[in-house]
Amino acid sequence: MNTSNMEMPIADAQLQDSINEEQAKFFLDNGFLVIRHVLVNEELRIVQFEMAKLYDKGVAGVSGDPDYMYGTGVKSGQPILKRVEYVIDKSDPMKALLGHPFILRSVEKLQGPNFIPTWDSMVLKAPDEGVIVPWHRDAAVPDGCEDKRPIFNVDFYLDEADLQTCLWVIPGSSSWSPEASDERCRRPGFSTEDA
Protein backbone atom coordinates (compact mmCIF):
# COMPACT_ATOMS: atom_id res chain seq x y z
CA MET A 1 0.00 0.00 0.00
CA ASN A 2 1.39 3.40 -0.91
CA THR A 3 0.52 5.50 2.13
CA SER A 4 2.05 8.71 0.75
CA ASN A 5 -1.03 9.22 -1.46
CA MET A 6 -3.55 8.28 1.23
CA GLU A 7 -6.08 11.00 1.94
CA MET A 8 -6.50 11.04 5.69
CA PRO A 9 -9.41 12.97 7.15
CA ILE A 10 -8.36 14.79 10.28
CA ALA A 11 -10.96 15.53 12.93
CA ASP A 12 -10.74 18.75 14.95
CA ALA A 13 -12.27 18.62 18.43
CA GLN A 14 -12.47 22.43 18.53
CA LEU A 15 -14.64 22.54 15.39
CA GLN A 16 -16.76 19.37 15.78
CA ASP A 17 -18.92 17.80 18.51
CA SER A 18 -17.66 14.32 17.58
CA ILE A 19 -16.13 12.54 14.63
CA ASN A 20 -18.34 12.61 11.53
CA GLU A 21 -19.50 9.70 9.37
CA GLU A 22 -16.59 10.03 6.90
CA GLN A 23 -14.08 10.03 9.76
CA ALA A 24 -15.79 7.06 11.44
CA LYS A 25 -15.67 5.10 8.17
CA PHE A 26 -11.99 5.95 7.70
CA PHE A 27 -11.29 4.71 11.21
CA LEU A 28 -13.21 1.47 10.70
CA ASP A 29 -11.50 0.86 7.33
CA ASN A 30 -7.96 1.79 8.38
CA GLY A 31 -7.77 1.27 12.14
CA PHE A 32 -6.71 4.81 13.06
CA LEU A 33 -7.84 8.42 12.93
CA VAL A 34 -6.01 11.64 13.80
CA ILE A 35 -8.00 14.02 15.99
CA ARG A 36 -6.47 17.41 16.70
CA HIS A 37 -7.09 19.87 19.54
CA VAL A 38 -8.75 17.48 21.98
CA LEU A 39 -6.70 18.96 24.80
CA VAL A 40 -5.82 22.65 24.57
CA ASN A 41 -4.80 25.58 26.73
CA GLU A 42 -5.17 25.08 30.50
CA GLU A 43 -6.52 21.54 30.16
CA LEU A 44 -3.43 20.52 28.18
CA ARG A 45 -1.08 22.28 30.63
CA ILE A 46 -2.66 20.47 33.60
CA VAL A 47 -2.34 17.07 31.91
CA GLN A 48 1.27 17.77 30.87
CA PHE A 49 2.10 18.86 34.44
CA GLU A 50 0.52 15.73 35.93
CA MET A 51 2.31 13.45 33.48
CA ALA A 52 5.62 15.23 34.15
CA LYS A 53 5.23 14.43 37.87
CA LEU A 54 4.74 10.72 37.10
CA TYR A 55 7.61 10.80 34.61
CA ASP A 56 9.97 12.44 37.14
CA LYS A 57 9.01 9.86 39.77
CA GLY A 58 9.65 7.02 37.32
CA VAL A 59 12.96 8.46 36.10
CA ALA A 60 14.15 8.74 39.71
CA GLY A 61 13.57 4.99 39.92
CA VAL A 62 10.65 3.07 41.35
CA SER A 63 11.33 -0.44 42.53
CA GLY A 64 8.76 -2.96 43.62
CA ASP A 65 5.89 -1.22 41.83
CA PRO A 66 4.86 -3.13 38.69
CA ASP A 67 3.01 -0.05 37.39
CA TYR A 68 6.36 1.59 36.56
CA MET A 69 7.91 -0.29 33.65
CA TYR A 70 11.43 0.03 32.32
CA GLY A 71 13.17 -1.10 29.16
CA THR A 72 16.72 -1.04 27.89
CA GLY A 73 17.81 2.33 26.50
CA VAL A 74 19.14 2.11 22.94
CA LYS A 75 22.11 4.42 23.63
CA SER A 76 23.16 3.62 27.19
CA GLY A 77 21.87 0.09 27.67
CA GLN A 78 20.56 1.28 31.05
CA PRO A 79 17.02 0.83 32.39
CA ILE A 80 14.83 3.61 30.97
CA LEU A 81 11.24 4.42 31.96
CA LYS A 82 8.92 3.36 29.15
CA ARG A 83 5.44 3.07 30.68
CA VAL A 84 3.35 3.91 33.74
CA GLU A 85 0.16 1.91 34.22
CA TYR A 86 -3.12 3.06 35.82
CA VAL A 87 -2.48 6.78 35.54
CA ILE A 88 -6.00 7.73 36.63
CA ASP A 89 -5.35 6.05 39.99
CA LYS A 90 -2.24 8.20 40.45
CA SER A 91 -3.60 11.58 39.33
CA ASP A 92 -7.07 12.99 39.95
CA PRO A 93 -6.97 15.45 37.00
CA MET A 94 -6.39 12.50 34.66
CA LYS A 95 -9.78 11.05 35.59
CA ALA A 96 -11.38 13.83 33.52
CA LEU A 97 -10.01 12.26 30.34
CA LEU A 98 -12.34 9.28 30.87
CA GLY A 99 -15.27 11.63 30.52
CA HIS A 100 -14.00 13.95 27.78
CA PRO A 101 -17.19 14.88 25.86
CA PHE A 102 -15.69 14.80 22.35
CA ILE A 103 -14.07 11.41 22.97
CA LEU A 104 -17.19 9.91 24.57
CA ARG A 105 -19.41 11.03 21.69
CA SER A 106 -16.88 9.76 19.12
CA VAL A 107 -16.44 6.37 20.79
CA GLU A 108 -20.21 6.01 21.06
CA LYS A 109 -20.46 6.61 17.30
CA LEU A 110 -18.12 3.63 16.77
CA GLN A 111 -19.22 1.36 19.63
CA GLY A 112 -22.78 2.29 20.46
CA PRO A 113 -23.94 3.58 23.86
CA ASN A 114 -22.68 0.68 25.97
CA PHE A 115 -18.90 0.62 26.20
CA ILE A 116 -16.37 0.28 28.99
CA PRO A 117 -12.92 1.91 29.10
CA THR A 118 -10.73 -0.86 30.49
CA TRP A 119 -7.16 0.34 30.72
CA ASP A 120 -5.12 3.48 31.02
CA SER A 121 -1.40 4.08 30.88
CA MET A 122 1.24 6.59 29.93
CA VAL A 123 3.56 5.26 27.23
CA LEU A 124 6.61 7.39 26.57
CA LYS A 125 9.93 7.75 24.86
CA ALA A 126 12.49 9.44 27.09
CA PRO A 127 14.37 12.32 25.46
CA ASP A 128 17.46 11.11 23.57
CA GLU A 129 17.10 7.59 24.99
CA GLY A 130 13.94 5.91 23.87
CA VAL A 131 13.13 2.25 24.32
CA ILE A 132 12.47 0.43 21.06
CA VAL A 133 8.88 -0.71 20.63
CA PRO A 134 8.74 -3.42 17.95
CA TRP A 135 5.85 -3.77 15.54
CA HIS A 136 2.88 -5.22 17.37
CA ARG A 137 -0.89 -5.29 17.24
CA ASP A 138 -2.96 -4.02 20.12
CA ALA A 139 -6.15 -5.71 21.27
CA ALA A 140 -8.38 -7.36 18.69
CA VAL A 141 -11.85 -8.87 18.82
CA PRO A 142 -11.30 -12.41 20.18
CA ASP A 143 -11.82 -15.36 17.84
CA GLY A 144 -15.35 -16.68 18.05
CA CYS A 145 -16.74 -13.46 19.49
CA GLU A 146 -20.06 -12.61 17.87
CA ASP A 147 -19.83 -8.93 18.84
CA LYS A 148 -17.82 -7.41 15.98
CA ARG A 149 -17.61 -3.88 17.33
CA PRO A 150 -13.95 -2.82 17.22
CA ILE A 151 -11.70 -2.85 20.25
CA PHE A 152 -9.31 0.09 20.12
CA ASN A 153 -7.14 2.56 21.99
CA VAL A 154 -7.76 6.26 22.42
CA ASP A 155 -4.40 7.97 22.79
CA PHE A 156 -3.71 11.54 23.90
CA TYR A 157 -0.38 12.83 22.55
CA LEU A 158 0.96 15.56 24.82
CA ASP A 159 4.22 16.50 23.09
CA GLU A 160 5.43 17.11 19.57
CA ALA A 161 6.88 14.07 17.82
CA ASP A 162 9.19 13.49 14.87
CA LEU A 163 9.79 10.43 12.69
CA GLN A 164 11.92 8.87 15.45
CA THR A 165 9.41 9.34 18.28
CA CYS A 166 6.01 9.19 16.59
CA LEU A 167 3.53 6.34 16.58
CA TRP A 168 3.56 4.38 13.31
CA VAL A 169 0.50 2.56 12.02
CA ILE A 170 -0.06 0.30 9.02
CA PRO A 171 -3.41 1.35 7.53
CA GLY A 172 -5.87 -1.53 7.34
CA SER A 173 -3.80 -3.85 9.54
CA SER A 174 -6.60 -3.84 12.12
CA SER A 175 -8.56 -6.14 9.81
CA TRP A 176 -5.71 -8.58 9.16
CA SER A 177 -6.01 -12.15 10.35
CA PRO A 178 -4.00 -13.05 13.45
CA GLU A 179 -1.64 -15.06 11.20
CA ALA A 180 -1.02 -12.11 8.84
CA SER A 181 -0.45 -9.79 11.78
CA ASP A 182 1.96 -12.22 13.45
CA GLU A 183 3.89 -12.68 10.20
CA ARG A 184 4.32 -8.92 9.73
CA CYS A 185 5.34 -8.38 13.35
CA ARG A 186 7.97 -11.17 13.17
CA ARG A 187 9.82 -9.55 10.26
CA PRO A 188 13.24 -8.28 11.31
CA GLY A 189 13.88 -4.55 11.51
CA PHE A 190 11.40 -1.73 11.57
CA SER A 191 10.40 -1.03 7.97
CA THR A 192 7.93 1.83 7.60
CA GLU A 193 7.38 1.57 3.85
CA ASP A 194 3.73 0.56 4.28
CA ALA A 195 3.13 2.65 7.41
Side-chain angles (χ1 to χ4, degrees), residues 116-170:
I116 301 171
T118 59
W119 201 285
D120 69 282
S121 57
M122 174 175 62
V123 179
L124 58 107
K125 289 196 175 194
D128 300 317
E129 182 78 281
V131 174
I132 293 173
V133 178
W135 281 116
H136 65 282
R137 178 150 120 181
D138 290 334
V141 176
D143 287 339
C145 181
E146 293 184 23
D147 186 347
K148 298 302 180 192
R149 291 178 294 170
I151 296 174
F152 55 88
N153 295 338
V154 174
D155 299 336
F156 294 87
Y157 295 88
L158 305 179
D159 301 298
E160 294 296 322
D162 59 26
L163 293 178
Q164 298 298 311
T165 59
C166 68
L167 175 77
W168 287 91
V169 62
I170 301 173

Side-chain angles (χ1 to χ4, degrees), residues 8-194:
M8 293 188 291
I10 297 177
D12 189 323
Q14 296 297 299
L15 303 175
Q16 303 172 231
D17 287 334
S18 72
I19 61 173
N20 62 34
E21 293 302 324
E22 174 195 7
Q23 293 158 348
K25 180 173 179 358
F26 181 89
F27 174 81
L28 293 170
D29 291 346
N30 293 284
F32 75 101
L33 177 67
V34 174
I35 304 172
R36 302 222 186 269
H37 307 119
V38 175
L39 302 176
V40 296
N41 303 325
E42 186 63 18
E43 187 178 30
L44 176 59
R45 283 190 289 279
I46 289 169
V47 170
Q48 288 172 323
F49 177 76
E50 290 294 310
M51 293 300 90
K53 288 193 309 190
L54 293 177
Y55 173 78
D56 290 343
K57 178 179 178 179
V59 166
V62 178
S63 61
D65 186 340
D67 288 356
Y68 288 82
M69 300 179 179
Y70 300 84
T72 303
V74 277
K75 292 182 180 177
S76 69
Q78 298 299 310
I80 301 294
L81 181 66
K82 68 176 186 175
R83 187 178 186 110
V84 179
E85 299 289 5
Y86 306 112
V87 171
I88 63 170
D89 293 337
K90 297 169 180 58
S91 166
D92 285 340
M94 299 309 296
K95 290 176 174 68
L97 295 183
L98 287 175
H100 193 287
F102 181 92
I103 298 300
L104 289 178
R105 287 189 293 265
S106 296
V107 171
E108 184 174 3
K109 186 172 286 247
L110 298 165
Q111 287 279 10
N114 299 315
F115 60 88
I116 301 171
T118 59
W119 201 285
D120 69 282
S121 57
M122 174 175 62
V123 179
L124 58 107
K125 289 196 175 194
D128 300 317
E129 182 78 281
V131 174
I132 293 173
V133 178
W135 281 116
H136 65 282
R137 178 150 120 181
D138 290 334
V141 176
D143 287 339
C145 181
E146 293 184 23
D147 186 347
K148 298 302 180 192
R149 291 178 294 170
I151 296 174
F152 55 88
N153 295 338
V154 174
D155 299 336
F156 294 87
Y157 295 88
L158 305 179
D159 301 298
E160 294 296 322
D162 59 26
L163 293 178
Q164 298 298 311
T165 59
C166 68
L167 175 77
W168 287 91
V169 62
I170 301 173
S173 60
S174 56
S175 62
W176 291 354
S177 69
E179 296 77 22
S181 177
D182 290 346
E183 185 279 323
R184 178 62 171 85
C185 293
R186 281 194 302 268
R187 291 182 197 170
F190 193 79
S191 169
T192 59
E193 63 189 25
D194 55 349

